[in-house]
Amino acid sequence: MQYIKLIAIDKYITFRSIGLVMLWIGYFLPWIPHEAAALNMGAYDLSNWVMLLPEVQKDGIVIGRMNFLMIMALIVLLSFELTLQGGFSQLWWIFVCLGILIMIPSYPSIMFFRTDTSVIWQILLIVVTLFLMIVLWLVRNWRFLRLLQGFFALLIGLACLLPFLLMRHILNDYYGSIPDIGVGWYVTLLGLLFVVCSGIVNYLYTTYALEK
């Protein structure tokens, strides 16, 4: 039983690590590819640029900065969980801090934290992320934790990836045609699938071990 449990942990860490690396890479790779560098944007660029669209400012489409920052919050939480493994995994603290810095509103937007709703939500997202990091540390040995993480990763992924597909048609006015889906979007999707699979694999192995 102990051997099976070790296999579960090993499979979980492997799938989770691969998925997390893909999420980090996919977040910064182009989601909208274009020959002009200024129009070649990843998720981080889109989180700021999308707020400049008149369709978003007038509430014409339901998409905003939070759709792209929620996935960064997920990446921060997954990176933090790996630091709990100890050893060289402590190096993931570098990425945890980097992710939180990315989530902080940029200047001069942060100056309007009292009146700008999008900035307020962005700050609340950071607070919730920090709170969930504490919760993760407290329940790190809970049996259903990894399965629940996979479920929430799927929900957050849908909240980020699907709105991007829905907003592509309005980009026709800015790009001259509906832009292609960049490699960053596909890498992010694949990373999310690895994270979801890691939760399922961990749960199945640990459940089988307990039954034995």
Side-chain angles (χ1 to χ4, degrees), residues 117-171:
T117 305
S118 64
V119 175
I120 294 174
W121 278 108
Q122 195 170 343
I123 294 174
L124 285 176
L125 179 63
I126 297 174
V127 173
V128 171
T129 302
L130 294 174
F131 172 76
L132 290 178
M133 288 170 62
I134 298 174
V135 174
L136 271 178
W137 181 78
L138 293 174
V139 300
R140 58 190 180 277
N141 296 320
W142 185 40
R143 175 185 172 188
F144 298 100
L145 176 62
R146 279 76 189 185
L147 188 63
L148 190 63
Q149 285 178 339
F151 174 73
F152 277 107
L154 182 62
L155 290 181
I156 293 174
L158 292 175
C160 177
L161 300 179
L162 290 183
F164 170 76
L165 297 180
L166 297 176
M167 68 171 282
R168 289 175 62 233
H169 71 280
I170 70 172
L171 301 180

Side-chain angles (χ1 to χ4, degrees), residues 19 37 58 62 67 78 81 98 109 128 135 169-170 176 205 211-212:
K58 297 177 182 179
V62 185
N67 292 93
L78 295 177
E81 188 189 3
L98 175 62
S109 298
V128 171
V135 174
H169 71 280
I170 70 172
Y205 269 107
E211 290 177 352
K212 293 294 181 178

Side-chain angles (χ1 to χ4, degrees), residues 27 31 43 63 66-71 155-165 185 188 192:
Y27 193 81
W31 284 37
I63 188 172
M66 294 293 291
N67 292 93
F68 299 100
L69 289 181
M70 280 193 301
I71 199 165
L155 290 181
I156 293 174
L158 292 175
C160 177
L161 300 179
L162 290 183
F164 170 76
L165 297 180
W185 187 91
T188 302
L192 285 169

